[in-house]
Amino acid sequence: MSAPEHLVLVEHDVEGHATGWVAADPDLPQVRVTDVAATRGDGVFETISIGSGHPQALAAHLERFARSARMLDLPEPDPTVWADAVRALAELLADHEEAWVKTVLTRGVEGQPLPTGWAYGTVSGDFRRERTDGIDVVLLDRGLRSDAATTSPWLLAGAKTLSYAVNRAAAREAARRRADDALFVSSDGLLLEGPTSTLVVRRGTELLTPPAALGILPGTTQVDLFAAAPDWGLQGRVTTLTPADLAAADAAWLVSSVRHAAPVRSVDGVESAIDAELSAAMNGFLRRRLR
Ligand code: PLP
């Protein structure tokens, strides 16, 4: 049986304001070939996890959607319309413990003033192996200095744009090196983020993550984990980290909305310790969170 798929189109007026959404057939073509989403990757997106019909961290995702839109000078996505569209799709996926919805806003068809918007939902893959056995990670030089977001904002470092070809290439490079995932490092030696995830490190009773100011995406999963950290006797802190810090850490994870917390099992072929108990607590919490 094929996975259920659901789609809504978010409609806009010529001022770029969302006017509402309509259900659409995901099996039919819906986007024009001249939409800059297809021709230039010129747009923004979010991927929101759905737990048994409940969108998780929806407000945080929609805030980040708006932040990315601002960075690209796109019209501000209306949080009410988009939240309504995501909830409608989430309800259709309520029979599934884990699902996801992707929201997309593009600059629209070349030469026309209307943005294009849609939200698409389907069920999640099975990430039990990654969440328990962990993942092998390789460090990849992103080729940008850690201050690139400040010196060169046109690079859109830290925006969740549709131009993810580089992120996909990094994932393929990781696979070529027989690893499961990549972790980007700035050209001046600071740990950044995975192609689709945030780095979280445990050092003693602290959970640490690199600052968004380094030109990385502020992660919604990381924020929720840091809010829950006191329940596990831990304290969250944002700080710069180096590969040496990672090597010396008590444990590390790549965390994200759909895969949740994947413990790091090795870095560049060197085994690292997995904190199985904390991984299980994190993933239990992430599966159940409702906000
Ligand atoms: N960093 C990048 C580049 C991402 O693409 C993602 C998510 O897809 C994340 C971090 C993690 O963000 P979140 O926890 O909000 O899913």
Side-chain angles (χ1 to χ4, degrees), residues 61 64 160 164 193-198 217 219-221 255-257:
H61 278 289
R64 193 172 66 188
K160 202 163 168 66
Y164 257 42
E193 63 186 344
T196 60
S197 60
T198 306
L217 200 70
T220 64
T221 312
V255 308
S256 53
S257 293

Side-chain angles (χ1 to χ4, degrees), residues 35 53 108 205:
D35 193 294
T205 57

